[in-house]
Amino acid sequence: MSTKRMPLWIYVVMLVCSMTLTLSSCKDDIKITRAPMPGGGSSTGVPQEDDMKVRIFADLPTAVRSEFDETSMGAAFVRRLPLATVEVTSETKMILIKGEDIPNRMLSEWLKAAKIYLQGGYIAIEKPSDDHLVYLMEHLADNMEKAEEDLLMEGEGNGITVTITPSNGGGNAPSLHVERLKNRIAHLQAHASRRADGDKKPVAEMVILGRDCYYHCEPYQGKIITTMNIQKDGTMSYSTIAMSPDYSRKNSGVMADGAAQWLNRREISFKERKKMAQQLATRREDGIDAINELTSASEEYTYQGGVSGLGTHVDRWLGIRQYFGFVTKLCAYQETCRVWGVYDKETNKDYYLVKQHAITAIGGKMGDDLYDFGKSLYQGPYEADKWYYENTSGTETITFEDKTFDHFYGSWFDNSEYSMNLSGKGSILLEEALPESDDPTNNAEALKCVKNAQGTKVQWLYYCSKDMLDGDVAKHPLAPDALTNDVNINNQICWSVSDPDAAYTVSIIHRRATASLLQNGSDKIKNQVWEESFGSGTEDQFTMTIPNRTSQIWYMDVTFPEIGQEGYEEVKTKLITALQNQFPNLYQPTREMADQTPESENTIKQVVYDTKQTLSNATALQTLKGYAKTCGVSKFTIQWYTKDALHSIYEITISTK
């Protein structure tokens, strides 16, 4: 690293960016409590069954604002909600709505939605078009500032009030949450522009927006699959297949399972990051740096899509494998990009970190699959001289001598390509990129990794270590176990930017392919399959949120309006000491805060809000009030201010009565 501070902040960011991959599931016979719901909810407390043996619940109280078609992903999602209501309540943590219903909602609903969003909740939109997302963003943006102020003011019934005295000059910069929404919509618009359907078609089956994260389930309809047949002599032929499958309760249920799992992992990750932020802030010498870094430019984007390959289709009525062909495992691919940006004022540099985690779930010999325990792309067999032979009465496992055509073996994870590059003004330097070679998170004998770096761009090539066309036509190598289960790809990259200016864009190219073996007569063919959707050789671009580059000095004071000048300092000293003992991170007379512009107050708003939440703890607040009563004080005020006319004055008043 080029600066002495890099190891510390990278260590912090790596911890904050870590994700817990524990999966939670519930059996169909577990009962839940909820009100009768539109679009497939059950008033009996028993969820309606899909064709799934395992159901994942999204453990968030949700207000469902639309009626969904029975076979849609929205209806399947409703069936996975342990607690759902029609109206927004005080318990609501998520709003679920159809994209087409967004323009029809009352304007007052968007203020409620903005508050849920700012408090760490979610807004889930089924089948949004580009226009729907823009409409949503505009109305959330219009209500964001009012929602931020309302959240600071709410909760006055427990003796705590918040007052904001507007500044005499200057003014607040736009909310960072609004800028983040704009970047997200631009990102999703870029995806929509690559679709042949046009801007009126859904850009996703579902988009879920969170305060520091968002999720995108690829459109189910209109998938394009490209295949390449590779002969042993190196001859190649290409073909493209367009697939437009029908919706079913099972397919929509699989997609909804993926979304529910993402939400559950996000909730675990959110609690871990909040705990970590509190721990970092308790180290008083690093407390300010911790606040500045943790309130800086971070974002997480998750894409959920299918994995296609040659497999055997199951007859839905007879329950047997009937024929082989292209099979798409819905939601078997999930890619998460976590981006992070911080500014180092000592060196006048931005640092940008991208962590990419991609899961490709092929299935495995025992059906041990991340999203669908009942189906696998990999169909064996597990001996080198056996193939699958497909006939009209079902699937048989046969030896080479039994038949001289239509043999099938597969599928496995064959290869993938990932590359990242950062562009923008200033001098950009590649600091670090991992892995350097073979990815240690996978079986190194099965999955090879080669890294190529040129300038600020890094490319990782992952490929199956075996030559699956090896040997004579009668036999075939066995696909490595590590590539027939859940394949995890982890890439990480960091850049520094000297003399940064404006925003920076990271470009990501990602392509993945599965493969199968075919044996037809005297030929053995490797059939490689990839999808021209989110990742197949196309460039994906994220506009990075601008880090906080402006340093501001904020002062904090505690005043006691009831105490006269005589004896004032003695009482004040006692109460401040009590405040410091009870809340060691709250009272800091001087804070050097990082923010977006000299006029913005984004960071101090977060500090005031967190302070109010801390003081709202009944036990802690009662203790603090006790100290004040001992000194004969029934009211005191904590104040944050600057020594210029650009910023508002923030006050929290605590009444001991």
Side-chain angles (χ1 to χ4, degrees):
M1 296 301 169
S2 63
T3 72
K4 63 182 181 180
R5 297 191 62 194
M6 265 319 267
L8 173 62
W9 88 261
I10 281 190
Y11 173 73
V12 171
V13 172
M14 287 176 66
L15 288 174
V16 173
C17 292
S18 63
M19 295 183 65
T20 301
L21 297 178
T22 304
L23 306 180
S24 61
S25 63
C26 300
K27 299 289 185 179
D28 284 349
D29 58 1
I30 291 182
K31 296 184 178 181
I32 59 176
T33 302
R34 60 181 175 205
M37 290 305 307
S42 170
S43 60
T44 63
V46 180
Q48 295 185 18
E49 290 187 1
D50 289 331
D51 298 324
M52 305 289 292
K53 297 299 182 184
V54 175
R55 176 178 289 112
I56 307 300
F57 285 114
D59 194 15
L60 287 172
T62 301
V64 182
R65 305 298 293 150
S66 298
E67 294 187 3
F68 297 95
D69 296 334
E70 179 64 20
T71 58
S72 68
M73 183 178 176
F77 203 52
V78 171
R79 292 192 290 269
R80 282 152 177 79
L81 297 172
L83 180 62
T85 59
V86 175
E87 300 298 329
V88 177
T89 71
S90 59
E91 293 184 334
T92 300
K93 297 293 180 62
M94 182 165 62
I95 293 175
L96 174 61
I97 189 172
K98 274 185 178 180
E100 64 188 45
D101 289 344
I102 287 176
N104 304 323
R105 308 317 304 173
M106 296 177 61
L107 295 180
S108 59
E109 290 190 33
W110 296 113
L111 180 59
K112 296 179 182 179
K115 289 180 182 179
I116 291 171
Y117 176 88
L118 288 173
Q119 290 177 291
Y122 303 90
I123 301 172
I125 313 104
E126 191 217 41
K127 294 185 178 67
S129 69
D130 180 57
D131 290 344
H132 298 152
L133 290 175
V134 171
Y135 190 97
L136 174 80
M137 183 271 293
E138 289 175 347
H139 282 282
L140 284 177
D142 289 343
N143 286 276
M144 200 64 71
E145 185 175 352
K146 179 68 164 56
E148 289 175 343
E149 292 189 1
D150 283 358
L151 289 175
L152 281 175
M153 303 295 188
E154 285 177 356
E156 296 187 351
N158 58 3
I160 300 177
T161 59
V162 177
T163 304
I164 303 175
T165 305
S167 59
N168 295 324
N172 290 342
S175 168
L176 291 181
H177 298 290
V178 174
E179 295 302 312
R180 185 165 294 184
L181 282 170
K182 290 179 181 178
N183 289 344
R184 293 174 179 179
I185 300 304
H187 182 208
L188 293 167
Q189 285 174 326
H191 282 295
S193 68
R194 296 201 294 265
R195 300 191 66 213
D197 298 344
D199 60 359
K200 301 302 181 183
K201 294 290 185 179
V203 301
E205 281 305 307
M206 187 170 288
V207 169
I208 305 178
L209 300 173
R211 190 175 58 189
D212 60 353
C213 62
Y214 61 118
Y215 160 96
H216 174 194
C217 180
E218 71 174 0
Y220 182 46
Q221 300 292 328
K223 182 182 293 295
I224 299 175
I225 296 176
T226 299
T227 68
M228 179 171 64
N229 287 329
I230 307 172
Q231 307 280 351
K232 195 171 182 180
D233 62 3
T235 304
M236 294 180 288
S237 60
Y238 296 85
S239 64
T240 300
I241 299 174
M243 298 181 66
S244 185
D246 293 329
Y247 288 100
S248 69
R249 285 172 62 91
K250 178 171 183 177
N251 291 340
S252 294
V254 174
M255 290 188 288
D257 277 348
Q261 285 177 332
W262 176 81
L263 280 167
N264 292 340
R265 287 200 302 272
R266 280 295 312 169
E267 286 300 287
I268 293 171
S269 180
F270 175 76
K271 292 174 183 176
E272 289 178 344
R273 289 200 307 276
K274 185 175 180 180
K275 181 179 179 182
M276 186 174 297
Q278 293 170 344
Q279 291 173 343
L280 288 170
T282 58
R283 307 201 321 247
R284 295 187 63 80
E285 69 277 10
D286 295 329
I288 300 301
D289 285 339
I291 291 172
N292 290 339
E293 289 184 4
L294 290 168
T295 57
S296 192
S298 66
E299 182 73 293
E300 181 182 296
Y301 173 61
T302 297
Y303 170 81
Q304 177 177 297
V307 174
S308 296
L310 282 182
T312 53
H313 292 248
V314 177
D315 188 290
R316 68 173 62 186
W317 303 112
L318 301 178
I320 62 172
R321 295 184 179 119
Q322 195 170 27
Y323 61 97
F324 76 92
F326 290 106
V327 174
T328 295
K329 290 187 62 185
L330 297 170
C331 304
Y333 182 76
Q334 196 169 93
E335 179 176 335
T336 296
C337 286
R338 178 86 169 152
V339 296
W340 195 273
V342 292
Y343 174 73
D344 186 339
K345 66 177 182 179
E346 295 179 5
T347 60
N348 189 27
K349 288 184 178 181
D350 278 355
Y351 289 97
Y352 294 102
L353 175 74
V354 179
K355 292 189 70 175
Q356 181 184 51
H357 180 215
I359 301 174
T360 304
I362 304 298
K365 295 178 180 178
M366 305 304 294
D368 182 14
D369 165 49
L370 187 60
Y371 297 112
D372 181 0
F373 288 84
K375 187 176 68 177
S376 173
L377 282 182
Y378 175 76
Q379 296 293 339
Y382 312 127
E383 298 177 30
D385 62 346
K386 297 289 181 67
W387 300 78
Y388 267 133
Y389 163 61
E390 312 300 326
N391 61 27
T392 56
S393 62
T395 300
E396 301 174 4
T397 301
I398 63 173
T399 61
F400 173 73
E401 290 77 14
D402 294 329
K403 204 73 176 178
T404 57
F405 59 90
D406 288 346
H407 292 55
F408 161 69
Y409 170 76
S411 292
W412 67 90
F413 178 93
D414 189 67
N415 70 80
S416 65
E417 173 191 347
Y418 297 91
S419 69
M420 301 187 199
N421 194 22
L422 190 72
S423 60
K425 297 180 181 179
S427 177
I428 302 175
L429 176 67
L430 175 65
E431 293 279 356
E432 186 177 47
L434 299 172
E436 292 288 349
S437 57
D438 294 338
D439 187 355
T441 63
N442 287 284
N443 182 339
E445 295 297 321
L447 185 64
K448 308 298 289 185
C449 175
V450 175
K451 185 185 83 169
N452 300 308
Q454 184 175 7
T456 59
K457 182 178 180 179
V458 175
Q459 177 195 58
W460 292 272
L461 298 173
Y462 295 89
Y463 60 94
C464 176
S465 62
K466 280 190 176 183
D467 181 0
M468 298 295 287
L469 288 172
D470 234 357
D472 60 49
V473 71
K475 294 184 181 293
H476 55 77
L478 293 176
D481 288 347
L483 304 188
T484 61
N485 288 279
D486 299 335
V487 182
N488 285 269
I489 301 294
N490 291 283
N491 300 319
Q492 179 174 305
I493 192 167
C494 179
W495 298 273
S496 63
V497 183
S498 300
D499 303 320
D501 182 31
Y504 291 83
T505 299
V506 60
S507 300
I508 302 176
I509 293 177
H510 22 197
R511 186 185 72 87
R512 65 193 185 277
T514 62
S516 304
L517 284 182
L518 302 177
Q519 193 279 317
N520 190 325
S522 60
D523 295 327
K524 185 164 60 174
I525 304 167
K526 186 170 83 168
N527 180 268
Q528 196 177 89
V529 181
W530 66 90
E531 301 171 28
E532 292 185 352
S533 54
F534 174 71
S536 300
T538 56
E539 187 175 62
D540 196 41
Q541 294 190 335
F542 294 86
T543 299
M544 311 283 274
T545 303
I546 299 175
N548 294 334
R549 295 177 182 148
T550 300
S551 180
Q552 301 170 356
I553 303 296
W554 283 83
Y555 299 89
M556 179 182 181
D557 196 11
V558 182
T559 60
F560 307 90
E562 297 173 314
I563 301 178
Q565 191 63 35
E566 184 179 352
Y568 178 85
E569 290 302 325
E570 181 180 354
V571 174
K572 181 176 180 178
T573 300
K574 288 181 179 180
L575 285 173
I576 288 178
T577 300
L579 185 67
Q580 289 175 318
N581 290 337
Q582 188 67 34
F583 307 102
N585 308 311
L586 189 153
Y587 186 77
Q588 295 185 30
T590 303
R591 290 177 183 260
E592 185 174 0
M593 308 286 287
D595 217 322
Q596 193 73 4
T597 67
E599 299 82 11
S600 58
E601 300 172 11
N602 295 299
T603 306
I604 197 64
K605 282 182 180 179
Q606 188 63 47
V607 170
V608 176
Y609 180 77
D610 289 343
T611 300
K612 191 192 78 169
Q613 295 299 103
T614 300
L615 292 174
S616 296
N617 178 279
T619 303
L621 183 60
Q622 195 60 40
T623 303
L624 191 59
K625 287 181 177 180
Y627 288 130
K629 288 180 179 179
T630 301
C631 298
V633 174
S634 63
K635 182 182 293 187
F636 61 95
T637 299
I638 304 172
Q639 183 183 90
W640 292 266
Y641 62 95
T642 62
K643 293 184 178 179
D644 55 38
L646 298 178
H647 297 93
S648 304
I649 298 173
Y650 293 84
E651 295 179 331
I652 294 180
T653 300
I654 296 96
S655 174
T656 63
K657 294 181 179 179

